[in-house]
């Protein structure tokens, strides 16, 4: 099976790319390596799988062979750059595509809205067009738990209404779901969207709470605790997320078993064991070995009080089952954070 993974220098994408390579799939990873956050993390993730260039000087559009996996290559490219993307699809003839490339971040979308339209809408349209013109057998794409917005009923179920986003980021992810459904219907393209819940683990994003908390503790600085600590998140370890994505990739929707005979699915992917923010902070403190100074603040614009995934559908239809406990996952994250592998330590 030949698979394209976009967003392959990202937190989830890099893990997924190398897990697919380890099980024997032929994989091409794609990422524009933008500077939304420190690129040392992105290059470090790639090096973990044997993808590197002298001085991290990747030539745009040139495929780089992994020295660790003979069945894995990487290309620096943006999904909103249509011509080279179309050329890549035509030449490589992928069987399946996992689109994780997107402008991430709820709070960043409030101050930099146009970045989200270009990557999350124009870029995703380019992926859809490339899939339909190149006979792609299956597209799996990243949505987000943020689409649930102002929903007060928990746990969130895929059949819940998602028409009340509280950030532009969430609105673009809801738009992706609608765009994908239309292409699935029009061109009989099998598609599945994954509503990711809060992901953590080694090589995580520096703008996410585990990295922010660990860094603050290490520097003796206070951590920002929003909504005065009264928040709940469905923290999910990176290995569980990557394995769940692979389970989804291995289960192509059957149009005959889908509503209106459209081969389209939406799945929640999370841990299904929501954790209070203060309990999460306590795990970080225990694993680091020091208490955190805390600066209690009101709720941030774009944030929601609680996220909680009902993953029954993904478990039933694709065999997904998260295994990592919060205690073990935080332990692995902190081990990595304190190690020489962490370029931001």
């Amino acid at each position: 099976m030949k698979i394209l993974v976009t967003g392959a220098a990202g937190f989830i994408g890099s893990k997924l790319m190398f897990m697919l390579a380890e099980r024997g799939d032929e994989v091409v990873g794609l990422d524009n390596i933008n500077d939304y956050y420190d690129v040392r993390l992105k290059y470090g993730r790639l090096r973990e799988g044997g993808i590197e260039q002298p001085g991290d000087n990747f030539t745009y559009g040139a495929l780089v062979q992994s020295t660790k996996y003979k069945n894995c290559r990487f290309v620096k490219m943006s999904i909103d750059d249509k011509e080279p993307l179309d050329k890549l699809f035509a030449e490589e003839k992928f069987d399946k595509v996992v689109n994780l490339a997107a402008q991430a971040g709820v709070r960043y979308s409030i101050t930099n809205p146009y970045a989200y339209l270009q990557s999350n809408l124009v870029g995703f349209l380019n992926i859809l067009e490339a899939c339909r013109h190149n006979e792609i057998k299956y597209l799996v794409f990243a949505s987000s738990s943020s689409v649930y917005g102002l929903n007060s009923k928990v746990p969130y179920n895929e059949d819940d209404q998602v028409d009340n986003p509280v950030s532009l980021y969430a609105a673009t992810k809801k738009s992706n779901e609608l765009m994908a459904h239309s292409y699935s219907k029009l061109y009989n393209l099998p598609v599945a969207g994954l509503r990711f819940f809060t992901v953590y683990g080694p090589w995580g994003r520096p703008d996410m709470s585990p990295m922010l908390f660990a860094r603050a503790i290490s520097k003796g600085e206070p951590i920002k605790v929003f909504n005065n600590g009264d928040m709940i998140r469905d923290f999910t370890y990176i290995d569980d997320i990557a394995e769940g994505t692979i389970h989804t990739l291995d289960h192509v929707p059957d149009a005959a078993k889908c509503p209106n005979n459209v081969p389209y699915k939406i799945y929640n992917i999370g841990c299904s064991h929501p954790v209070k923010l203060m309990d999460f902070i306590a795990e970080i403190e225990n694993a680091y070995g020091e208490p955190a100074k805390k600066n209690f603040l009101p709720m941030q614009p774009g944030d929601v009080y609680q996220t909680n995934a009902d993953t029954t559908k993904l478990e039933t239809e694709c065999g997904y089952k998260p295994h990592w406990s919060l205690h073990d996952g935080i332990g692995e994250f902190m081990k990595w954070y304190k190690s020489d592998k962490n370029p931001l330590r």
Side-chain angles (χ1 to χ4, degrees), residues 1-307:
M1 191 66 63
K2 191 171 188 178
I3 301 168
L4 172 68
V5 177
T6 73
F11 181 28
I12 300 173
S14 57
K15 185 72 176 184
L16 176 66
M17 173 171 61
F18 298 136
M19 285 179 69
L20 288 170
E22 284 176 0
R23 77 168 192 168
D25 291 304
E26 184 178 355
V27 190
V28 173
L30 178 154
D31 201 294
N32 66 358
I33 317 183
N34 69 23
D35 60 358
Y36 166 63
Y37 59 79
D38 198 318
V39 296
R40 289 179 295 170
L41 267 175
K42 300 181 180 185
Y43 289 121
R45 293 169 184 147
L46 293 175
R47 280 193 291 271
E48 284 291 287
I51 295 172
E52 55 186 316
Q53 292 284 277
D56 291 331
N57 186 24
F58 287 81
T59 301
Y60 190 90
L63 285 158
V64 176
Q65 175 66 52
S66 166
T67 57
K68 185 175 181 179
Y69 304 106
K70 64 181 181 180
N71 53 333
C72 182
R73 291 171 294 156
F74 174 83
V75 60
K76 183 179 180 180
M77 187 181 293
S78 295
I79 61 171
D80 61 3
D81 197 353
K82 188 175 188 305
E83 187 175 337
L85 185 71
D86 288 344
K87 185 173 183 286
L88 180 72
F89 269 78
E91 291 178 349
E92 293 296 328
K93 304 187 186 310
F94 303 111
D95 296 303
K96 297 180 180 181
V97 174
V98 183
N99 183 61
L100 303 178
Q103 179 57 59
V106 169
R107 293 163 193 160
Y108 189 73
S109 71
I110 295 172
T111 56
N112 296 273
Y114 286 97
Y116 291 77
L117 299 183
Q118 191 64 26
S119 179
N120 298 11
L121 298 183
V122 174
F124 189 59
L125 178 61
N126 289 343
I127 290 290
L128 290 170
E129 280 286 286
C131 286
R132 83 166 175 106
H133 287 298
N134 291 277
E135 300 180 351
I136 298 301
K137 298 179 177 68
Y138 189 20
L139 167 65
V140 176
F141 72 95
S143 185
S144 169
S145 61
S146 65
V147 301
Y148 289 107
L150 295 175
N151 282 14
S152 58
K153 181 187 75 65
V154 290
Y156 295 149
N157 183 274
E158 292 90 346
D159 293 329
D160 293 341
Q161 185 194 65
V162 287
D163 294 330
N164 300 292
V166 295
S167 70
L168 181 64
Y169 170 72
T172 63
K173 288 301 184 179
K174 166 68 180 203
S175 300
N176 286 170
E177 295 183 2
L178 297 174
M179 293 162 70
H181 185 276
S182 68
Y183 269 69
S184 183
K185 169 62 177 174
L186 287 168
Y187 308 112
N188 198 38
L189 171 67
V191 179
L194 292 173
R195 291 175 177 168
F196 290 106
F197 283 68
T198 309
V199 188
Y200 74 97
W203 295 102
R205 279 171 33 201
D207 60 329
M208 299 296 285
S209 57
M211 287 280 277
L212 292 172
F213 293 166
R215 183 181 299 173
I217 295 172
S218 69
K219 294 183 176 182
E221 299 172 352
I223 62 174
K224 295 179 180 179
V225 185
F226 292 106
N227 205 38
N228 298 305
D230 187 17
M231 297 176 75
I232 297 173
R233 289 291 181 269
D234 203 331
F235 291 102
T236 312
Y237 191 65
I238 180 61
D239 288 40
D240 284 335
I241 288 288
E243 287 173 6
T245 304
I246 291 174
H247 278 292
T248 306
L249 195 61
D250 290 341
H251 289 79
V252 182
D254 181 353
K257 297 179 181 179
C258 297
N260 303 311
N261 293 313
V262 179
Y264 173 86
K265 293 281 188 177
I266 287 290
Y267 296 110
N268 287 336
I269 180 165
C271 188
S272 294
H273 292 90
V275 176
K276 293 179 180 179
L277 179 58
M278 296 307 295
D279 292 340
F280 183 78
I281 292 172
E283 284 287 355
I284 293 278
E285 291 173 317
N286 291 336
Y288 194 88
E290 290 184 28
K293 300 174 183 177
K294 302 175 184 69
N295 183 15
F296 290 94
L297 298 167
M299 183 78 86
Q300 283 275 93
D303 266 353
V304 295
Y305 160 66
Q306 178 171 352
T307 63

